[in-house]
Every structure is written in C-alpha cells, then in structure tokens.
Amino acid sequence: MSQVFPKSANAWSKASVLAIVFVLLSVGWMVLTIQRSDYVTTANQFIEQPVQFSHQHHSGGIGIDCRYCHTSVEVSPSAGIPPTKTCINCHSQIWATSPYLEPVRASFRDDKPLKWVKVHDLPDFVYFNHGIHVTKGVGCETCHGRVDKMPLMIQKVSLQMEWCLDCHRDPSRYVRPRDQVTTMGYQPAMAQAELGPRLVKEYKIAGLEHMTSCSVCHR
Amino acid sequence: MTNKPATRGPAVTFALLAAATLLFAGCRQDMHDAPRYEAYEASTSFADGRASRTAPVGTVARGWLRDDEALYTGKVAGQTVEQFPFAITHADLQRGQQRFNIYCTPCHGQLGDGNGMVVQRGLRQAASYHQDRLRQEKVGYFYDVITNGFGAMQGYAEQVPVRDRWLIVAYLRALQLSQHAPVSDVPADRRAELDAAPAATERH
C-alpha cells in the first residue's frame, strides 16, 4: 500500500500549526476590534431627534453657555435636559412661526414633553455623576468633544470602561481650571504637564487607588 | 491511536464554546438597561408619559417650605425690599458675575446694555440696566423680575436657584456702578488705562 500522504504533507502539517495560531489570533483581534467599533459603541452616529437641535448654532454661533440649558450639570448626576420652557425663553419671539419649531411650540402649548433621544447612554450598572466631574475640572469638551461644532449631537467617544479608566488612571492629563470647564476649544495657559498635577492637588482629586477602585463606578 | 478521536471531542467542543462565548458576549443587554427609570425616562405608568413626577399642587416637600418672604419673593407684605436678605461677600459677587454671564448675557449683554446676541438675532430689545428708572429700583425688584419675568422676558425661577438670583442682583448693582461712575472714582495713577485700547476679550 502506497503512502496516503505525499512527503510534502510534512511541511503542510507544520505550517498548519502556525496557521491555527494565526487564525485564533485573527479571530481574537476581530472580536476586540468589533467590540471597540462605532457600530457597537454607537459613537459618531447621528440620531434623529424630534427637533434637529443644533448645538453649533446655539453654543458656537450665539455663544450661549452650556449651563444656560443644562442647569444641573454642576450639582447633579444628570446634566439636565432643558424643559421646553427654556426653548420658549427665546423662541416665543425668534423663529416664532417657523414650521421647523412647531413640535417645540406644540410641546409648550399642550404641556407634553419633547421626546429627545438620549445620545450618551451609559449602562445601568455604571454610576456616573456630572457634578463631581465638572467641579473637579473636567471640561464638557473633554468627554463630549467640540459640541460648538456639532450641527447634530453625536457621541464622540466610546464611553467604554477603558476610556473611563484612561482618565481615572491619570486625570492630570485632562483637568482644566474650573472657570474654563464650559470653554470650547480650550488651550491651557501653561504646559499641561505642569498645570495638570497642580490642579489635581488643588481640587483634591483622589489618588490612583481610589480612582481605579471598582466600586467608584460600580456601586 | 484509536482513542484519539475521543480526546479530541471535548477539545473541539471547548474551542467552539469559547468562540461562541467570545462572539456572543455582550449580546444580552438586561443589565445595561435595568428595569428602573433614569432621569427624564419615559414611562407607561402615567398618563403624561413622564417617569419624573412633579409634586402635586398645593404640597410642600420636606425642607422646601419657603416661609422667608423677603428671601423667596423679594418682597415683604407686598413692598419690594431694599436690602439683600443676606450679606454679600466678594466671592458672592464673583459667582454673581459668573451666573450673570451664563443666564443674562444672551439678551442683556456682558455690559448690561441690553444688546446681547439673542437681541442682535431678533429678540425684542432687552432693558439696559444703565437707565435712571433701573438705577433707582430696589434690589427686590430685580429679584422679582428674574423670578417671574417682565415683558418679553420669561421668568428664570426654573433655571436659577434662589441664592444665585440674589447674587446676580448683587453683580447687576456692581455693573450699574461701573457704567455710572465719575472719572474721579478711578485712582489717579490708573486713569491712563481708560484711554488705552481695550485688550482682546476672551470668549467664554
């Protein structure tokens, strides 16, 4: 009986061992890449809203401070979605007959909330508080990006745990003076490597052990 | 050699299971979206669809009794108060300035002359604080206007807490003073700065 496998099969069988390793690594890489993709994190995706509100116009164009509408951002877990009344402050007169804003007027007239779609939605097993971040010098822009350049609101970051930890491991790379928190396009007045550690100390931002402890966010 | 397939069986099963676990990890969202309401979430339990409830009319939450008339309304027995209900410190003035810049400048402008950006874009001309009528007004008047609105201006009670409203009034007074002061109030050695070109202002 002749040989079932030709002699070259020896080489093939050795190569296949490598191939298996390669395939396994590739599958692993693929899974991790998909897991981090915008498709899974919903980053950089435009979301249809009841009114296509432009932050670019209101924040960038007119220069309204973030806190004019997001009134509870300094003191509460939620930054605060403005009631329709806040829109009406100006739009009782400006664009007051525009069909584009009819949903806003209808909401105010009938006392029915506009059903805004949440863009930044953290999993429910994560505790997040805007107040502590803002009062410790984390700028709006640091997490939300250049909102003043967004005609439609999009999530600019992954909001995944590795992203949170990146800052929690060393916040000195990101913190800014408190009075610059809502500034868009902020440039530190001195080198961040010098300013950051100073602010971390001044604002009494907790150390690595506390900031990366599981129960800080999963409580 | 005959027993080889038997040992390979569990290994293959294990590999498949591991791959499946990796592939389908994260598919379940039960814990991502727990059966509880987040702030502003919609609810089917109430006719108006809101999970965040407002207090029934006529009720007062514990700790929210507003029995200090001067503090909460700017009036005592219908008369506008002339004095701030608490002492104003320098830090208070600074916070007042910050709050003013957030909530008032869109219409009244940083100078308080009533030419804010929203006015430039078509809202009815906002009042300038630098007119005699408003220079004469008592502090309680401004508090009342911030709280309840005036003319085309809507009330800001929902957006600005009580204490901040008073601090804004305090800053408003400082602003009035700054625009209605004789040159003799400026220290002699710094008067030259008045004629110097204004430095480029930083936008916040």
Side-chain angles (χ1 to χ4, degrees):
Chain A
M1 186 180 166
S2 63
Q3 290 281 343
V4 176
F5 295 108
K7 206 168 184 188
S8 64
N10 287 342
W12 281 112
S13 73
K14 278 175 192 159
S16 69
V17 173
L18 283 176
I20 287 170
V21 172
F22 177 76
V23 165
L24 282 178
L25 284 175
S26 302
V27 167
W29 174 83
M30 223 166 70
V31 168
L32 291 178
T33 305
I34 292 172
Q35 190 63 21
R36 287 179 171 89
S37 69
D38 288 357
Y39 176 76
V40 170
T41 65
T42 70
N44 296 310
Q45 290 170 17
F46 292 103
I47 294 173
E48 180 123 3
Q49 299 284 0
V51 179
Q52 301 308 318
F53 176 87
S54 166
H55 278 86
Q56 182 181 49
H57 168 67
H58 290 86
S59 165
I62 299 181
I64 298 173
D65 191 283
C66 310
R67 292 165 289 191
Y68 183 91
C69 300
H70 303 292
T71 54
S72 59
V73 73
E74 292 162 305
V75 290
S76 155
S78 163
I81 298 297
T84 307
K85 151 82 174 49
T86 304
C87 313
I88 294 297
N89 280 356
C90 299
H91 289 294
S92 57
Q93 291 184 41
I94 294 179
W95 287 54
T97 53
S98 160
Y100 192 77
L101 293 181
E102 176 52 26
V104 179
R105 291 191 296 273
S107 158
F108 191 66
R109 229 174 16 236
D110 308 337
D111 192 26
K112 288 213 171 93
L114 284 162
K115 291 184 178 168
W116 300 107
V117 182
K118 197 167 187 179
V119 176
H120 298 79
D121 195 10
L122 289 176
D124 284 3
F125 47 77
V126 179
Y127 174 84
F128 176 80
N129 191 317
H130 271 97
I132 187 79
H133 288 85
V134 168
T135 49
K136 298 282 181 181
V138 180
C140 306
E141 181 188 357
T142 306
C143 305
H144 294 288
R146 289 299 296 272
V147 172
D148 64 325
K149 294 189 170 173
M150 292 180 193
L152 292 174
M153 176 51 65
I154 49 171
Q155 175 188 324
K156 284 307 283 183
V157 296
S158 75
L159 294 180
Q160 283 176 330
M161 188 167 129
E162 62 179 3
W163 172 81
C164 302
L165 280 173
D166 175 53
C167 183
H168 269 230
R169 286 197 179 107
D170 183 11
S172 74
R173 287 170 298 150
Y174 299 102
V175 288
R176 50 172 87 183
R178 273 189 196 123
D179 61 359
Q180 297 291 326
V181 161
T182 60
T183 305
M184 287 287 150
Y186 161 79
Q187 294 292 333
M190 61 177 86
Q192 183 68 22
E194 190 189 337
L195 179 68
R198 191 194 295 175
L199 290 175
V200 164
K201 208 171 165 194
E202 189 185 330
Y203 296 161
K204 299 187 173 64
I205 297 177
L208 183 68
E209 198 180 335
H210 177 77
M211 290 277 281
T212 55
S213 156
C214 307
S215 60
V216 166
C217 309
H218 304 291
R219 47 175 82 179
Chain B
M1 289 305 265
T2 47
N3 60 358
K4 198 129 197 210
T7 53
R8 194 180 287 141
V12 168
T13 314
F14 176 79
L16 280 175
L17 269 177
T21 310
L22 277 174
L23 268 177
F24 297 111
C27 287
R28 293 187 54 131
Q29 296 290 317
D30 312 23
M31 292 181 77
H32 287 68
D33 193 10
R36 63 162 167 81
Y37 291 123
E38 292 167 42
Y40 307 105
E41 197 167 329
S43 163
T44 50
S45 303
F46 302 97
D48 63 4
R50 298 175 220 205
S52 309
R53 310 305 303 160
T54 47
V57 176
T59 59
V60 176
R62 192 173 277 265
W64 281 77
L65 181 61
R66 302 193 150 188
D67 55 351
D68 187 338
E69 207 188 344
L71 179 66
Y72 291 110
T73 68
K75 292 176 186 165
V76 171
Q79 293 297 306
T80 309
V81 297
E82 287 184 54
Q83 297 265 316
F84 286 95
F86 50 87
I88 304 289
T89 65
H90 183 61
D92 286 339
L93 261 186
Q94 285 177 321
R95 182 170 168 90
Q97 177 181 31
Q98 187 201 39
R99 298 293 121 171
F100 177 88
N101 285 338
I102 297 170
Y103 298 105
C104 312
T105 52
C107 295
H108 289 282
Q110 289 206 326
L111 286 175
D113 55 8
N115 288 322
M117 269 306 261
V118 179
V119 169
Q120 292 174 37
R121 298 291 178 97
L123 197 83
R124 195 196 302 173
Q125 178 70 42
S128 163
Y129 306 133
H130 314 299
Q131 50 178 299
D132 268 341
R133 178 177 78 81
L134 291 183
R135 282 200 206 98
Q136 313 298 328
E137 280 292 1
K138 301 163 185 160
V139 289
Y141 170 83
F142 296 103
Y143 178 86
D144 179 61
V145 169
I146 297 174
T147 308
N148 301 311
F150 183 89
M153 173 182 163
Q154 307 277 331
Y156 277 72
E158 287 94 349
Q159 278 160 280
V160 190
V162 169
R163 194 182 155 84
D164 282 347
R165 275 176 248 164
W166 284 110
L167 302 188
I168 287 174
V169 177
Y171 176 68
L172 197 152
R173 274 285 189 248
L175 207 55
Q176 284 181 327
L177 201 60
S178 77
Q179 300 292 305
H180 192 58
V183 176
S184 57
D185 281 0
V186 182
D189 58 330
R190 300 195 64 182
R191 274 178 210 165
E193 290 175 33
L194 290 176
D195 298 323
T201 49
E202 200 180 325
R203 196 182 72 76
H204 288 285

